[in-house]
Amino acid sequence: MTGISAMSRFFSSKFKGLEPYTPGEQPKDTSYVKLNTNESPFPPLKAVTDAAASCRPLNLYSDPTCSDLIAKLAEVYKISPDRIIPSNGSDETLYFAFLAFCDSGHPAVFPDITYGFYPVFAQITNTPYTEIPLKEDMTIDINDYIGINKNIFIANPNAPTGICLTTGEIEQIVKSNPSNVVVIDEAYVDFGGESALPLVEKYDNLLVVRTFSKSRSLAGARLGFSFGSPGLINDLNTIRFSTNPYNINSMTLAAGIASLENEDYTIENCNTIIKNREYTTDKLRSLGFEILPSCANFIFAKHAGLDGGWLYAELKRRGVLVRHFTKERICQYNRITIGSMDQMNVLISELEDILKER
Ligand code: PMP
């Protein structure tokens, strides 16, 4: 974390042991080939940035009901508006879900290797949590979650592995835990995963969380959206209106609507990323990398002859930023965002050089 120094004497003791989430590096130096935070390499359409620039005057507050954006989401995803809640990035809904549904009597459960924010949200909301180990091959064993009777948080595709579960598997988990909320975090679903959205009308305990950050090229705009039963959405709105009713700014609302009016662009970009992912996976495998099967816009890769932390640093020295995690089970891997073909070719040629020099 940047700039965190010793806590002041005023910091509430309830946060004493809190370990904040560490976001990926966002260097000001734009010369890096930036493959570390799963952003889109493609800029938003001009129609999207134009819409943001000419939105509701900024001397007025943004629309707290977000009704235009919700109407557009309802149309695109074919679901009724009372089952939708937008958010300031999907991180916010994940936090709100912990606030709304978890406490000492309602513990949470998630895999040991998954999105690093879940344990942080559990800690800040004082929620007891269990981390269930992924299987040896880094897949989720759904049997671990059947009838577990805890609130469940699953990223599907999982991060940083990229591995996905089928909708049928998600349904078994949701169905077997009717007294608990199951949150399916679909940040990366547009790159080849199966969405649990069709289950939302069938199960009142399912929340499906999505984002504009990855497939829609709007990470910097901070916009997420979630689908659930009207009851769950209502609960999340209670939290929203009790914290920050203007949580989505006017520029972002306008950008989101414009993005949804241009679905072809999103679909085309996702297809390009999938193609670049398959190309990169093949090339890296031929260089001796072991790569988990990814349905996301990143791959998780390790090489028997290269230490994961060393490789991260060496790539950075050569101007390519990837993401390395120090957690023991995955410290030999690096997570590599799939970018443009040019970016992928730079990565591949640097890896070829590194391997030649070793
Ligand atoms: N879920 C997962 C699995 C993620 O990797 C991310 C991105 N860091 C998010 C949610 C949050 O994305 P955002 O807040 O940008 O929507």
Side-chain angles (χ1 to χ4, degrees):
M1 229 7 256
T2 47
I4 290 213
S5 50
M7 70 177 86
S8 83
R9 65 186 196 281
F10 307 106
F11 196 46
S12 170
S13 59
K14 66 178 180 279
F15 297 133
K16 228 172 123 197
L18 185 64
E19 287 173 49
Y21 174 72
T22 309
E25 297 162 89
Q26 296 292 349
K28 294 273 182 295
D29 176 358
T30 53
S31 65
Y32 280 107
V33 174
K34 194 173 177 309
L35 306 175
N36 67 328
T37 44
N38 299 342
E39 292 134 330
S40 173
F42 310 114
L45 282 177
K46 186 170 179 301
V48 172
T49 47
D50 283 354
S54 59
C55 68
R56 186 179 167 99
L58 292 182
N59 57 313
L60 302 183
Y61 281 108
S62 59
D63 171 15
T65 71
C66 304
S67 56
D68 293 342
L69 175 66
I70 289 178
K72 197 72 209 169
L73 284 165
E75 180 191 317
V76 169
Y77 287 95
K78 302 185 174 44
I79 188 162
S80 81
D82 61 347
R83 293 179 173 277
I84 305 175
I85 183 169
S87 55
N88 187 321
S90 58
D91 280 339
E92 190 185 50
T93 297
L94 294 167
Y95 176 41
F96 285 3
F98 272 91
L99 275 172
F101 309 122
C102 301
D103 54 42
S104 55
H106 299 89
V109 63
F110 36 83
D112 65 336
I113 305 299
T114 189
Y115 185 32
F117 236 136
Y118 304 157
V120 180
F121 289 145
Q123 286 169 37
I124 202 169
T125 57
N126 219 1
T127 300
Y129 64 96
T130 312
E131 296 176 294
I132 299 183
L134 295 180
K135 290 197 285 191
E136 197 54 38
D137 64 359
M138 296 284 178
T139 58
I140 289 173
D141 185 346
I142 65 155
N143 295 312
D144 291 336
Y145 297 85
I146 300 297
I148 194 166
N149 202 24
K150 290 178 179 162
N151 289 328
I152 298 170
F153 291 78
I154 289 180
N156 192 40
N158 197 11
T161 64
I163 297 172
C164 52
L165 294 173
T166 64
T167 307
E169 290 172 313
I170 297 290
E171 181 163 14
Q172 290 182 55
I173 295 172
V174 175
K175 198 175 178 173
S176 70
N177 290 283
S179 304
N180 293 91
V181 178
V182 179
V183 177
I184 304 298
D185 174 355
E186 296 189 348
Y188 301 104
V189 79
D190 291 332
F191 303 100
E194 273 184 43
S195 178
L197 178 57
L199 305 178
V200 160
E201 286 178 347
K202 209 165 149 193
Y203 298 98
D204 68 356
N205 61 328
L206 170 64
L207 186 73
V208 174
V209 180
R210 295 281 195 94
T211 181
F212 281 69
S213 295
K214 318 293 179 184
S215 55
R216 295 183 178 277
S217 305
L218 285 172
R222 312 302 302 123
L223 187 58
F225 56 110
S226 300
F227 303 111
S229 62
L232 291 184
I233 299 302
N234 205 43
D235 297 342
L236 293 168
N237 268 318
T238 300
I239 302 292
R240 186 165 84 86
F241 281 92
S242 305
T243 51
N244 186 4
Y246 307 110
N247 58 339
I248 306 172
N249 72 68
S250 305
M251 294 171 286
T252 294
L253 284 173
I257 293 166
S259 165
L260 292 162
E261 282 165 352
N262 290 280
E263 284 297 90
D264 290 354
Y265 183 67
T266 298
I267 293 165
E268 184 191 319
N269 287 344
C270 289
N271 287 336
T272 305
I273 294 296
I274 291 168
K275 203 175 74 208
N276 295 358
R277 179 183 72 210
E278 300 318 313
Y279 168 82
T280 309
T281 301
D282 284 352
K283 289 277 186 196
L284 265 57
R285 282 194 178 136
S286 70
L287 293 176
F289 281 87
E290 194 183 306
I291 311 226
L292 299 182
S294 172
C295 304
N297 67 337
F298 55 84
I299 51 175
F300 208 40
K302 69 174 178 183
H303 193 289
L306 301 170
D307 174 74
W310 179 87
L311 181 60
Y312 156 80
E314 180 60 16
L315 281 170
K316 185 173 181 183
R317 196 181 68 74
R318 291 163 178 260
V320 180
L321 261 192
V322 297
R323 185 88 196 251
H324 178 254
F325 300 92
T326 51
K327 203 169 187 170
E328 200 187 334
R329 203 174 164 192
I330 51 172
C331 67
Q332 287 312 322
Y333 286 88
N334 277 288
R335 192 193 67 191
I336 304 169
T337 302
I338 301 300
S340 66
M341 201 54 115
D342 285 351
Q343 290 177 312
M344 294 295 97
N345 281 328
V346 173
L347 167 82
I348 291 159
S349 91
E350 291 298 343
L351 289 173
E352 282 168 349
D353 273 5
I354 288 170
L355 285 164
K356 242 180 258 154
E357 285 174 19
R358 296 266 312 170

